Amino acid sequence: MAKSQIFTCSACGASHSKWSGRCDACGEWNSIVEEAPLSTGPGKKALGGLKGRQVPLLELNTPEAPPPRSQSGLDELDRVLGGGLVPASATLVGGDPGIGKSTLLLQAAARFAGAGLSCIYVSGEEASAQVRMRAQRLGLGDAAVRLAAETNLRDILTTLDTERPDLVIIDSIQTMWTDTVEAAPGSVSQVRSAAHELVTFAKRRGCSVILVGHVTKEGQIAGPRVVEHMVDTVLYFEGERGHQFRILRAVKNRFGPADEIGVFEMTGGGLTEVANPSALFLSDREARAPGAVVFSGIEGTRPVLVEFQALVAPSPTPQARRTVVGWDSSRLAMILAVLEARCGIPFVGLDVYLNVAGGMRVSEPAADLAVAAALLSAREDAALPSDMVVFGEISLSGALRPVSQTENRLKEAQKLGFSQAALPDRSSGSAPTGFGTRPVKDLATFVGEMFGAG
């Protein structure tokens, strides 16, 4: 097969099938040159010879102002978003059914509308009357939020293109369907196509879009993983049904820090902000109890104090149980192995139960030492001092590794009435005035100092 040729005008970029002295598009003389095609493969499967437009290139040091943000007035939500809502951004919010996603977003829409943004709430799961009833129950009946109950994406985009809102909330992405895909709503192809169309609309029209996503049994957002790559921000709304606390956690944010959290409390009037989550998580704490240890952690940029509770009891069965709520079960197995191998403290034949009080989930490695202290306190039936916080990462050799933001952890502990801390001896940062520290080199030393064994 003969190699295809393409002739392009160097002045205007127009393509021609053959060379000529004058460009028919711009009228320039002697501007047509022969160029190699973009692809030499078959035209139907490759790019072929047709050229596209040239993309402008910028230097890394090109000055650019930070994106403007719209604040809702809900400080916990604005914190998780990185300081407010960015125009033309796409946000995905996931959570268990009935956890309060629709309540949170309806309250947020009312706040954004009160701040001057034009907001549209599109519900694919509930009728408009149901959404209005919820708004009246939350005291938002007079909010300037417009509602729609629709699942046809073509009709929704046509309406949005006419109304030009500042914020659109889609509840939920799994109920949307487009007539160009021959599949049922909620299928992988439908979810991918609907998310792509909505994200593209947000970027093209400068409108912020918030998508609600269902979650699987494992707690991950249902649907293709590519949806999380399309959007700018991914938020998880977490909480236990038996607790009134709800945690909004950012796992991806192109406009702010990831792993930031916002804490809310579910009440009869909706979700209320919790300005000091540490005090709330420790509000029902007993003054001195075996197996209870306070951990000073960092969630995003915020220091948070939570209580680890452990129970160690003889196992009635040959296979001892290891039950964990709010922490990584694999990391618990590692801590138990280090305690036995490096400190000579076995847990064979003992059931171990570990819980993070208040429904909080902790994923920070700095909680290792607090977990070990709780396990030893429960096993020896010896309570730690009630004014002590514990944090530090445990290595497989039994050594304690320093953690980041030590000073912020200690300041938060002092603010809540704690006066001493057990921490790795190589920790950087100074302790607040009047706050005592007990630096520990390794786990065996910690066991000997706290429990008189090692």
Side-chain angles (χ1 to χ4, degrees):
M1 180 182 293
K3 181 180 179 180
S4 60
Q5 294 179 327
I6 183 170
F7 299 89
T8 306
C9 175
S10 58
C12 66
S15 299
H16 301 270
S17 60
K18 63 180 180 178
W19 185 90
S20 62
R22 183 174 183 270
C23 176
D24 297 334
C26 64
E28 289 289 332
W29 288 92
N30 297 323
S31 60
I32 297 178
V33 295
E34 181 181 356
E35 292 185 355
L38 291 177
S39 174
T40 58
K44 292 184 179 180
K45 296 183 180 180
L47 293 176
L50 185 61
K51 296 247 178 174
R53 65 179 180 87
Q54 186 175 358
V55 178
L57 303 177
L58 301 176
E59 299 292 338
L60 285 177
N61 58 1
T62 302
E64 187 171 355
R69 296 179 184 269
S70 300
Q71 295 187 342
S72 64
L74 285 171
D75 295 336
E76 295 297 303
L77 175 62
D78 294 336
R79 171 195 289 270
V80 177
L81 291 174
L85 190 65
V86 177
S89 63
T91 302
L92 180 63
V93 180
D96 294 329
I99 203 68
K101 301 185 299 296
S102 300
T103 300
L104 173 66
L105 293 179
L106 188 59
Q107 290 183 239
R111 291 294 190 99
F112 280 118
L117 272 65
S118 173
C119 301
I120 293 180
Y121 189 102
V122 181
S123 176
E125 301 181 349
E126 298 176 301
S128 299
Q130 293 175 293
V131 180
R132 286 198 299 269
M133 289 174 57
R134 180 185 294 115
Q136 293 173 0
R137 187 172 68 251
L138 299 175
L140 306 175
D142 298 331
V145 179
R146 291 174 291 176
L147 305 176
E150 184 57 61
T151 58
N152 189 329
L153 191 61
R154 187 180 298 274
D155 296 342
I156 293 173
L157 292 178
T158 301
T159 304
L160 299 180
D161 201 28
T162 303
E163 298 292 335
R164 299 293 181 89
D166 299 313
L167 171 63
V168 178
I169 297 175
I170 305 294
D171 188 7
S172 65
I173 186 62
Q174 277 83 7
T175 61
M176 300 294 117
W177 63 276
T178 173
D179 50 19
T180 59
V181 178
E182 295 182 359
S187 60
V188 171
S189 55
Q190 282 284 8
V191 172
R192 182 191 298 116
S193 178
H196 173 72
E197 293 291 344
L198 288 167
V199 172
T200 303
F201 175 84
K203 304 300 182 183
R204 187 175 69 249
R205 295 300 187 190
C207 165
S208 300
V209 174
I210 298 179
L211 310 176
V212 178
H214 296 166
V215 296
T216 61
K217 293 180 179 179
E218 293 77 21
Q220 303 295 322
I221 294 179
R225 199 70 176 181
V226 70
V227 175
E228 297 188 34
H229 298 301
M230 291 180 187
V231 298
D232 301 306
T233 306
V234 179
L235 309 179
Y236 278 89
F237 204 42
E238 305 171 351
E240 299 289 339
R241 297 264 181 135
H243 295 281
Q244 71 271 30
F245 310 133
R246 300 291 186 269
I247 298 172
L248 185 65
R249 186 186 303 272
V251 297
K252 172 189 174 182
N253 194 346
R254 290 173 179 163
F255 305 111
D259 293 328
E260 190 69 81
I261 67 166
V263 183
F264 299 86
E265 183 178 5
M266 179 65 77
T267 64
L271 290 163
T272 59
E273 299 177 84
V274 178
N276 190 353
S278 298
L280 192 62
F281 288 133
L282 300 177
S283 59
D284 298 329
R285 179 173 179 265
E286 298 180 27
R288 189 177 176 90
V293 175
V294 176
F295 164 63
S296 183
I298 296 290
E299 294 289 342
T301 60
R302 155 186 280 172
V304 178
L305 268 62
V306 295
E307 183 182 57
F308 276 92
Q309 300 171 345
L311 176 62
V312 178
S315 177
T317 61
Q319 186 68 32
R321 300 189 61 180
R322 303 288 187 260
T323 304
V324 186
V325 177
W327 206 53
D328 186 9
S329 58
S330 300
R331 204 156 187 92
L332 173 63
M334 185 195 78
I335 299 298
L336 293 174
V338 173
L339 284 172
E340 182 168 359
R342 305 303 179 189
C343 303
I345 302 177
F347 284 82
V348 178
L350 298 174
D351 288 339
V352 175
Y353 302 89
L354 184 69
N355 175 53
V356 180
M360 182 78 173
R361 293 194 62 86
V362 178
S363 58
E364 197 181 2
D368 289 351
L369 189 58
V371 170
L375 294 173
L376 293 169
S377 174
R379 186 182 185 276
E380 303 297 328
D381 196 27
L384 266 69
S386 59
D387 61 344
M388 173 181 285
V389 295
V390 181
F391 58 88
E393 181 181 353
I394 299 176
S395 65
L396 293 180
S397 64
L400 296 183
R401 299 171 57 87
V403 297
S404 61
Q405 303 189 45
T406 298
E407 190 172 350
N408 292 337
R409 299 173 194 265
L410 299 180
K411 286 181 179 178
E412 180 71 10
Q414 187 183 48
K415 186 192 307 181
L416 294 174
F418 293 87
S419 59
Q420 58 178 322
L423 69 168
D425 61 348
R426 292 178 293 166
S427 300
S428 59
S430 58
T433 304
F435 196 93
T437 59
R438 302 181 66 169
V440 183
K441 180 181 179 181
D442 52 30
L443 186 57
T445 304
F446 175 79
V447 173
E449 292 183 0
M450 293 296 174
F451 302 98

